[in-house]
Amino acid sequence: MIDRTAVEAVLNAIPDPATGQGLVASGVVKGLTVADDRAGFVIEVPAAAVAAYAPVREAAEATLKAMPGMARVSVILTAEAAPAARKASLSKEAVDQTRPRAPVPTERPAHIRRVLAVASGKGGVGKSTVSVNLAAAFARAGLSTGILDADVHGPSLPTMLSISGKPDYRDGMMEPHLAHGLKAMSVGLLTRAEDAMVWRGPMASQALTQMLTQTRWGTAETPLDILVVDLPPGTGDVQLTLIQKTPLDGAVIVSTPQEVALADARRAHTLFQRVNVTTLGLIENMSGDIFGHGGAAAEAGRLEIAFLGDLPLDASVRQAGDAGAPLSTGDIAARFDVMARGLARELGL
């Protein structure tokens, strides 16, 4: 296993062009993560200094790769955003350069027929539970199904599917774990469970890109029918990266019935509208006496999107997640089966 102190020592042996100090001591190394046989971090510098730091990034990557036992290294060079105080004095052209660009989808990852995003506007609504059980329902319907845990800061797929251990590498590609009829990949499989993912947006986006494009989801002979992507809550970098890296065939939004969750679900729907991704429907999770009932159905009507169904707050769902096995029988599993069949029809599967 790679020692974090040794990694920091190696990086401190590389001088920062601006200060002459080592990279760690100078403070340009951000979000350093060291796990088993891999390391990654961001070099964050002023925009005007990016060219000067390109050789520094290359040196840091090469030096880390040369460490005994180091298998994978990710070093990202990124520019700091212009401070708000400076933006007021910038020309219109310079201000335009600081604004985020609308993402343009590139190619779909090889041998995947459909990509379905499962999203929520806020955390704690059971989106990951819905993602896992919906993916399992697609598999029960006879579809070759994968699931990608894109919540890089709080991965839950290893627990919910009872999988662990780094993926195997073959011909430069990661092999997904196989569990409960699903092909699964999560950043939680690439790092230790106790590690906190203290990553800025560029590192999180890089992790998602690697899992999306460097996983062997299918082959020409046996393509994956559908990849379910469990997005993190909100409408930030990871969501935009996914939309930029692959055309989405649709999105499902998960919400609980109360207004505080539905307000964030509206924001998620607005994001998908703005990037021309179809919201295929809204699911009401934890429906019942505690959180109320019917809020998501009414909201779906207001948004003019499909209401896919409700899922009651039930101990069996929690027990299945803790045990690392999706529901396979009973009323709630049957509800997921109905949702999966309807979505499969909408997606032409």
Side-chain angles (χ1 to χ4, degrees):
M1 293 178 61
I2 304 298
D3 180 69
R4 183 184 182 92
T5 303
V7 169
E8 291 178 345
V10 165
L11 294 176
N12 263 332
I14 301 172
D16 175 4
T19 67
Q21 296 178 299
L23 295 183
V24 175
S26 67
V28 297
V29 172
K30 307 292 185 181
L32 175 62
T33 299
V34 180
D36 297 338
D37 60 352
R38 60 202 64 204
F41 64 93
V42 173
I43 299 175
E44 189 176 63
V45 299
V50 168
Y53 277 85
V56 175
R57 189 208 71 79
E58 294 173 2
E61 186 174 73
T63 305
L64 288 180
K65 285 181 177 178
M67 291 182 69
M70 185 71 79
R72 295 187 68 82
V73 174
S74 176
V75 181
I76 299 172
L77 176 60
T78 185
E80 296 172 349
R86 286 179 52 213
K87 286 187 180 180
S89 64
L90 294 176
S91 66
K92 179 181 182 299
E93 292 77 12
V95 170
D96 285 342
Q97 291 176 3
T98 68
R99 291 174 179 163
R101 303 296 184 190
V104 179
T106 53
E107 291 185 2
R108 185 187 309 278
H111 313 308
I112 299 177
R113 296 179 61 197
R114 301 287 186 270
V115 180
L116 174 70
V118 180
S120 68
K122 70 186 298 294
V125 300
K127 169 187 51 59
S128 294
T129 298
V130 170
S131 297
V132 168
N133 283 281
L134 190 59
F138 282 128
R140 285 195 297 273
L143 298 175
S144 174
T145 306
I147 182 165
L148 171 60
D149 184 355
D151 192 347
V152 296
H153 295 293
S156 53
L157 199 66
T159 298
M160 291 189 168
L161 290 178
S162 190
I163 55 178
S164 61
K166 296 189 295 293
D168 292 331
Y169 284 84
R170 182 162 56 87
D171 299 328
M173 299 288 284
M174 293 184 290
E175 299 291 340
H177 279 53
L178 303 177
H180 307 284
L182 304 174
K183 295 183 177 181
M185 181 57 67
S186 168
V187 73
L189 301 171
L190 305 175
T191 60
R192 294 175 297 186
E194 65 270 21
D195 284 344
M197 298 297 101
V198 188
W199 289 349
R200 290 183 183 268
M203 280 288 283
S205 297
Q206 175 72 12
L208 172 61
T209 299
Q210 180 180 345
M211 292 188 296
L212 181 67
T213 61
Q214 296 180 24
T215 299
R216 199 185 314 277
W217 295 108
T219 66
E221 295 77 21
T222 57
L224 195 72
D225 289 318
I226 184 167
L227 177 65
V228 176
V229 182
D230 177 20
L231 289 175
T235 54
D237 286 337
V238 173
Q239 289 85 345
L240 292 174
T241 295
L242 176 67
I243 294 164
Q244 186 177 35
K245 292 298 179 183
T246 186
L248 295 177
D249 296 287
V252 169
I253 299 173
V254 180
S255 178
T256 48
Q258 70 269 43
E259 175 57 29
V260 67
L262 292 168
D264 287 327
R266 288 181 211 119
R267 296 184 183 98
H269 174 59
T270 299
L271 166 67
F272 291 124
Q273 281 186 311
R274 288 180 177 175
V275 295
N276 298 318
V277 173
T278 301
T279 301
L280 296 175
L282 186 60
I283 295 174
E284 180 171 289
N285 195 30
M286 305 184 195
S287 182
D289 294 337
I290 296 176
F291 294 110
H293 177 75
E299 187 62 33
R302 285 190 289 270
L303 296 176
E304 298 182 339
I305 60 177
F307 177 61
L308 299 177
D310 56 22
L311 300 164
L313 186 64
D314 190 284
S316 66
V317 179
R318 190 270 305 166
Q319 291 164 353
D322 288 349
L327 294 166
S328 58
T329 60
D331 172 63
I332 299 178
R335 296 185 189 211
F336 278 112
D337 288 337
V338 171
M339 293 178 192
R341 288 195 295 269
L343 288 168
R345 286 194 296 271
E346 287 291 322
L347 293 168
L349 295 171

